Amino acid sequence: MAYDHVGLRVTDRARSLAFYESLGFRLDKKHSTETALEMINKAGVRLSLIPNGVSTPQSDNVLMDRAQKWPGYTHAAFIVDSLEQILQWAAIAHISITEGPVDWGRRITCFLRDPDSNVLEFNELKPHDGPVL
């Protein structure tokens, strides 16, 4: 089994496309429709932006920001060559880092939100001894 993509519900098509393009994704027009905008980066990582979202009155993420914890996908996680580059990109773009950087042992991680409060995790993997299982 392999991983194909993650689907992210968004409220503003143009804003979301610009945000993810700034992270190195491009619209794959051949595989996109009006209801699912397929994006891909140089590493072949795919996102499917679902542009039918409606903002909550609080502009929050109902899975992450509410006291009651409902089941659902909480975030997408990406491997990056340099976490420092993500931190610099976020600073230039005035995007808040919501957690981190945190050293989890095998990786250094930070979290941020896209314009619709979808949580994104970025991981710089550390060198390791032995095979990855």
Side-chain angles (χ1 to χ4, degrees), residues 43-129:
V45 175
R46 290 187 173 271
L47 299 175
S48 182
L49 302 181
I50 314 300
N52 65 357
V54 177
S55 290
T56 66
Q58 301 87 354
S59 296
D60 63 345
N61 179 318
V62 296
L63 292 177
M64 299 296 288
D65 301 330
R66 307 264 174 110
Q68 185 174 7
K69 299 302 179 192
W70 295 299
Y73 294 101
T74 60
H75 63 283
F78 303 93
I79 297 171
V80 296
D81 292 330
S82 168
L83 195 62
E84 184 59 35
Q85 286 180 344
I86 292 295
L87 296 172
Q88 290 174 6
W89 165 83
I92 290 167
H94 305 289
I95 296 168
S96 297
I97 301 299
T98 57
E99 184 180 344
V102 176
D103 188 330
W104 296 102
R106 71 176 183 88
R107 67 191 190 276
I108 302 170
T109 301
C110 76
F111 294 84
L112 56 85
R113 304 282 182 110
D114 79 356
D116 289 293
S117 292
N118 291 308
V119 179
L120 306 177
E121 175 182 334
F122 296 91
N123 295 288
E124 180 179 329
L125 301 181
K126 294 180 173 182
H128 58 74
D129 298 324

Side-chain angles (χ1 to χ4, degrees), residues 5-6 8 20 25 37-39 45-49 78:
H5 70 274
V6 63
L8 299 171
Y20 286 99
F25 287 88
L37 308 170
E38 184 104 0
M39 300 193 81
V45 175
R46 290 187 173 271
L47 299 175
S48 182
L49 302 181
F78 303 93

Side-chain angles (χ1 to χ4, degrees), residues 10-21 27 29 32-37 39 49-53 116:
V10 299
T11 59
D12 184 310
R13 174 190 176 107
R15 180 181 68 180
S16 294
L17 285 171
F19 177 84
Y20 286 99
E21 285 170 352
L27 181 64
K29 292 179 183 176
S32 293
T33 66
E34 285 301 311
T35 60
L37 308 170
M39 300 193 81
L49 302 181
I50 314 300
N52 65 357
D116 289 293

